[in-house]
Amino acid sequence: MEWAAVEEELGVELPADYKRLVRMYGGGVFAGVLWLLEPGCPDPMYDMLTQTAECEEILAELWESGEDKPSELHEGNVGLVPWGYAEGGGHYLYWLVRPGVEPEEWSVILNEGRGPLWETYPMSCSQFLLEVVAGTTTSFYFTDLDDIVAPDDRNRFEPNSRILGQ
C-alpha cells in the first residue's frame, strides 16, 4: 500500500492503527457486518477513497436540504473520513478529523446511514472494532449483534480477496 499517495489524495495523514489493520488483514468484513474500507479496493463500495468522495457529496446535499449536521462538525475546518461500513444497516463509521489533532487522537463518529442520528466515540477505529466484536460496545447500532450474527461468526474476519473473488 502506498500510504503517502492515499494520504495525499485524502489531504490527511491516517491513523497508524488503521494502517496496521489494513496491512494485517486488508479490507474485509469483521463479525459478518462491519466492513473495513480499504484504499484501492476493486469494489467501489468498499474503497476508502471512493467512499470518501461519495460520502462528502451525499452529506453536503443532506445538510443543504436541512438535515441537522452533528454538533461536532460545527467547529471550523472539522472533517470526516470514512473507514468502515455496517452491512445491512447502512451505517458509516468515520474519523472526526480536527485541525491540530493527531490522527491517533481522532474520535470515531458513526452515522446511522438511513437517518440523521450520529454517535461519537473518543477511541481509535481498532478499539471500536474490538468493542463491536467483543460485544462490549455502547453503540446503539451494534448492541443487537448477537441477534444477527452467529456466536462463531462474531470473531471471524473475511477478507475482500475471498468475498470479492480476487
Side-chain angles (χ1 to χ4, degrees), residues 34-45:
L34 189 51
W35 286 85
L36 179 65
L37 301 180
E38 173 185 29
C41 179
D43 186 325
M45 182 66 193

Side-chain angles (χ1 to χ4, degrees), residues 1-10 14-16 18-28 36-42 46-49 95 160:
M1 178 71 55
E2 289 291 326
W3 290 113
V6 169
E7 292 169 336
E8 183 176 334
E9 185 168 335
L10 291 171
L14 294 171
Y18 169 77
K19 293 186 226 180
R20 282 191 301 272
L21 280 169
V22 171
R23 269 195 303 274
M24 182 176 286
Y25 294 101
L36 179 65
L37 301 180
E38 173 185 29
C41 179
Y46 309 110
D47 175 61
M48 173 187 268
L49 298 171
W95 287 293
N160 285 338

Side-chain angles (χ1 to χ4, degrees), residues 67-141:
E67 187 171 298
D68 286 338
K69 187 185 268 193
S71 61
E72 294 89 346
L73 294 177
H74 289 287
E75 302 168 19
N77 295 324
V78 174
L80 298 171
V81 175
W83 61 266
Y85 173 77
E87 189 73 38
H91 320 311
Y92 273 92
L93 294 142
Y94 299 91
W95 287 293
L96 187 59
V97 180
R98 290 184 165 112
V101 176
E102 292 297 317
E104 279 63 45
E105 300 301 318
W106 292 347
S107 293
V108 168
I109 185 167
L110 178 148
N111 174 245
E112 72 175 314
R114 295 189 179 113
L117 301 179
W118 293 77
E119 296 178 338
T120 304
Y121 299 91
M123 63 181 67
S124 68
C125 67
S126 57
Q127 182 66 39
F128 188 85
L129 277 170
L130 176 62
E131 290 190 12
V132 168
V133 170
T136 60
T137 183
T138 58
S139 171
F140 171 79
Y141 299 101

